[in-house]
Amino acid sequence: MALPVAFFALFFAWPVAAIVARGLETDGAWHLGRIADVVTRPDIRHVLWFTTWQALASTALTLLLALPAGYVFARLDFPGKQLLRAVVTVPFVLPTVVAGSAFLALLGRGGLLDELWGIRLDTTVWAILLAHVFFNFAVVVRTVGGLWAQLDPRQEEAARMLGASPLTAWRKVTLPALAPAVAAAALMVFLFTFTSFGVVQILGGPTFSTLEVEIYRQTSEVFDLSTAAVLTLVQFAAVGAVLAVHAWTVRRRETALRLVDPTVTARRPRGAGQWALLASVLAVVALLLVLPLAVLVRRSLDAPGLGYYRALMRADGGTFLVAPVHAVWTSLQYAVAATAIAVVIGALAAAALARRDAGRLVRGFDALLMLPLGVSAVTVGFGFLIALDRPPLDLRQSWILVPLAQALVGAPFVVRTMVPVLRAVDVRLREAAAVLGASPWRVWREVDLPLVGRALLVASGFAFAVSLGEFGATVFIARPDNPTLPVAVARLLSRPGELNYGQAMALSTILMVVCAAALLILERLRTDRTGEF
């Protein structure tokens, strides 16, 4: 635990504490009354209200549309199921900037709806809600569908034989067993939408602002660190509460259930009802997940002769100091470095958490590992500039600053992927190797590593995809001559002109293809223990 604790303390806790302290301190003293002054301001109360209700609405809409898909993947067997599973998961690993760009191409000026019917839905709350469903659809399908596939269907069949209707049997038998997984998925969706940044930044315009977007505006546009610090504390408290409830639901989910092999519970659709349900799920996937990405690709090809892609090869001297295509190579380099850091830190933390004799303090660190997913990435990025600005850790001009910020987001995915597999390793294998004289390092290398090697590859893929799309912290610390792909897309979208817009669509398409390729590789490596969130 020493290295993971030191890493999170140095590159997460310290920068966040530094930016909060800088914002609340005046003349050497902390003014906590500033918290009440900020949260009672009408504009801030409006931001808090919008952040909360849009997260609740996004969560409810995601559950409504994704739960039927969870049933289809769990109980029905049909051609192309594995490909469809990969298609459903692609949006989750995409950067939020790409999701925002895709819906901008679909709903915005000159988008598909604008061309066909003259309808524009960008800068409306519906665009934000639909983009959040697009991004979080896979969370519900994987979390709920993964457990649903392992529930013994004979329990519900027994209730039917005793006279219960299909709805009653599902409500009284299946739903109580699924409730912890549904609650865990809902909490994760709420967490991701409550802290939404890229989607709201692109689609919300000046009208809508979440806490994360407001922290960014107060920090980078208004330069009001005091207000940004208060909002950071408010978001920190909200995220902490959500993670505490999530940890409780996960413990409930780990209680004894009658589980079976998921490969034997799926059957070919039978009856008009199941075929209709499958058709409706396919329609939702096509319209909500595939169509925005298809429109994004089409908009990137609007210029004749791949004009937008060719424009990426040259610097304009305004938006970038280098050619925009340079961001592709920069992002790949940063993502590889961040993945290496995240795998080392996450694997060590997972090894400690998976031990059966782990103490309460170690188990408590498990919840803290999730905080970087919910705490303002904007705060972390700006905190890097404030906290890491003097020897021996003056990293402001170092290239490693970006991978460090990206690794903070990738490490929790490594932990979540590897812990279940490490816990499944028979401890007697380790004990036998130790009795035969193997050192702890050799036991890990020759017993654990061969068993968890595939999970390690899956974890590396997730960390790579997540690092590639990190935006909130990177937007502060990426150097002008080395922008990452998400930062480059955001800069292009912020500038007027058809050429800038087309280049943003082209870069978003490149980023989507890279992330989708990583996901398809993950699907080929996926096992029953490593394939679910």
Side-chain angles (χ1 to χ4, degrees), residues 64-130:
L64 179 65
L65 295 175
L67 282 177
Y71 171 83
V72 165
F73 281 106
R75 294 299 196 212
L76 301 184
D77 188 21
F78 51 91
K81 181 177 178 178
Q82 293 303 318
L83 177 61
L84 186 64
R85 186 195 300 271
V87 170
V88 166
T89 313
V90 164
F92 180 75
V93 300
L94 288 180
T96 55
V97 170
V98 174
S101 300
F103 276 84
L104 194 64
L106 177 64
L107 307 175
R109 176 181 57 84
L112 184 62
L113 293 185
D114 192 15
E115 290 180 358
L116 294 178
W117 299 293
I119 299 174
R120 286 185 57 185
L121 294 178
D122 60 325
T123 69
T124 68
V125 71
W126 279 109
I128 295 172
L129 296 181
L130 291 175

Side-chain angles (χ1 to χ4, degrees), residues 238-307:
V239 168
V242 172
L243 290 178
V245 177
H246 179 264
W248 177 72
T249 60
V250 169
R251 285 196 298 270
R252 285 189 60 200
R253 184 180 172 185
E254 293 176 347
T255 58
L257 289 173
R258 187 176 179 182
L259 304 179
V260 297
D261 185 352
T263 61
V264 302
T265 60
R267 300 175 180 175
R268 298 282 293 181
R270 293 178 295 182
Q274 289 190 346
W275 281 107
L277 179 62
L278 176 58
S280 65
V281 168
L282 292 176
V284 168
V285 171
L287 293 175
L288 188 63
L289 306 185
V290 177
L291 181 60
L293 298 180
V295 172
L296 173 67
V297 175
R298 188 187 73 84
R299 290 303 305 272
S300 74
L301 299 173
D302 276 351
L306 301 177

Side-chain angles (χ1 to χ4, degrees), residues 17 87 90 102 116 174 236 268 273 407 422 430 447:
V87 170
V90 164
L116 294 178
T174 304
F236 188 85
R268 298 282 293 181
L422 286 170
R430 299 189 184 107
V447 176

Side-chain angles (χ1 to χ4, degrees), residues 326-366:
H326 182 72
V328 178
W329 176 238
T330 300
S331 289
L332 292 175
Q333 289 178 300
Y334 284 159
V336 169
T339 300
I341 298 171
V343 167
V344 171
I345 298 299
L348 289 173
L353 294 169
R355 290 179 61 91
R356 288 174 172 79
D357 58 348
R360 182 173 298 178
L361 183 62
V362 174
R363 291 195 298 270
F365 185 64
D366 187 16

Side-chain angles (χ1 to χ4, degrees), residues 50-60 129 132 189-191 193-194:
F50 176 75
T51 302
T52 303
W53 86 257
Q54 66 82 24
L56 291 172
S58 297
T59 302
L129 296 181
H132 282 161
V189 174
F190 180 86
L191 177 65
T193 53
F194 187 85

Side-chain angles (χ1 to χ4, degrees), residues 9 12 21 46 65 72 74 102 108 157 165 197 219 242 248 269 353-354 431 448:
F12 176 68
H46 176 73
L65 295 175
V72 165
E157 292 169 359
S165 66
F197 177 56
T219 303
V242 172
W248 177 72
L353 294 169
E431 294 171 349
D448 291 88

Side-chain angles (χ1 to χ4, degrees), residues 489-524:
V489 171
R491 287 182 186 174
L492 286 167
L493 288 174
S494 67
R495 292 174 63 91
E498 188 65 28
L499 181 60
N500 286 319
Y501 182 82
Q503 289 183 90
M505 297 297 108
L507 276 182
S508 296
T509 300
I510 293 173
L511 190 50
M512 177 191 70
V513 170
V514 174
C515 290
L519 179 66
L520 289 175
I521 295 173
L522 292 184
E523 280 296 314
R524 293 186 64 86

Side-chain angles (χ1 to χ4, degrees), residues 160-497:
R160 296 282 305 278
M161 292 180 63
L162 293 174
S165 66
L167 180 60
T168 301
W170 181 83
R171 181 169 54 85
K172 293 192 174 182
V173 178
T174 304
L175 184 58
L178 288 176
V182 174
L187 286 168
M188 290 306 297
V189 174
F190 180 86
L191 177 65
F192 290 141
T193 53
F194 187 85
T195 58
S196 180
F197 177 56
V199 167
V200 181
Q201 178 80 348
I202 293 175
L203 296 176
T207 308
F208 301 106
S209 177
T210 57
L211 271 174
E212 186 81 354
V213 174
E214 191 62 27
I215 291 171
Y216 173 76
R217 290 176 180 172
Q218 295 292 334
T219 303
S220 64
E221 298 176 8
V222 184
F223 303 107
D224 186 351
L225 290 185
S226 180
T227 298
V230 171
L231 296 181
T232 297
L233 290 177
V234 172
Q235 183 166 302
F236 188 85
V239 168
V242 172
L243 290 178
V245 177
H246 179 264
W248 177 72
T249 60
V250 169
R251 285 196 298 270
R252 285 189 60 200
R253 184 180 172 185
E254 293 176 347
T255 58
L257 289 173
R258 187 176 179 182
L259 304 179
V260 297
D261 185 352
T263 61
V264 302
T265 60
R267 300 175 180 175
R268 298 282 293 181
R270 293 178 295 182
Q274 289 190 346
W275 281 107
L277 179 62
L278 176 58
S280 65
V281 168
L282 292 176
V284 168
V285 171
L287 293 175
L288 188 63
L289 306 185
V290 177
L291 181 60
L293 298 180
V295 172
L296 173 67
V297 175
R298 188 187 73 84
R299 290 303 305 272
S300 74
L301 299 173
D302 276 351
L306 301 177
Y308 293 142
Y309 288 92
R310 287 190 287 108
L312 298 176
M313 306 295 180
R314 56 181 184 268
D316 61 3
T319 307
F320 301 103
L321 299 179
V322 294
V325 74
H326 182 72
V328 178
W329 176 238
T330 300
S331 289
L332 292 175
Q333 289 178 300
Y334 284 159
V336 169
T339 300
I341 298 171
V343 167
V344 171
I345 298 299
L348 289 173
L353 294 169
R355 290 179 61 91
R356 288 174 172 79
D357 58 348
R360 182 173 298 178
L361 183 62
V362 174
R363 291 195 298 270
F365 185 64
D366 187 16
L368 296 179
L369 287 172
M370 296 291 290
L371 281 178
L373 296 181
V375 171
S376 171
V378 171
T379 300
V380 174
F382 197 56
F384 268 34
L385 299 180
I386 292 178
L388 307 178
D389 64 342
R390 58 178 64 90
L393 278 176
D394 186 359
L395 302 178
R396 288 176 300 173
Q397 301 300 319
S398 174
W399 67 271
I400 196 64
L401 202 61
V402 174
L404 287 172
Q406 294 173 340
L408 282 172
V409 183
F413 286 92
V414 176
V415 174
R416 294 273 70 80
T417 302
M418 293 193 64
V419 165
V421 182
L422 286 170
R423 285 176 176 164
V425 176
D426 192 341
V427 68
R428 291 173 295 181
L429 296 176
R430 299 189 184 107
E431 294 171 349
V435 169
L436 293 174
S439 64
W441 166 246
R442 188 175 180 185
V443 170
W444 163 253
R445 189 178 73 248
E446 298 189 9
V447 176
D448 291 88
L449 187 58
L451 295 173
V452 302
R454 181 168 293 185
L456 188 61
L457 290 174
V458 172
S460 301
F462 268 119
F464 177 81
V466 171
S467 300
L468 198 65
E470 205 287 322
F471 176 60
T474 309
V475 72
F476 271 100
I477 57 182
R479 295 168 55 179
D481 57 341
N482 280 307
T484 62
L485 275 170
V487 172
V489 171
R491 287 182 186 174
L492 286 167
L493 288 174
S494 67
R495 292 174 63 91

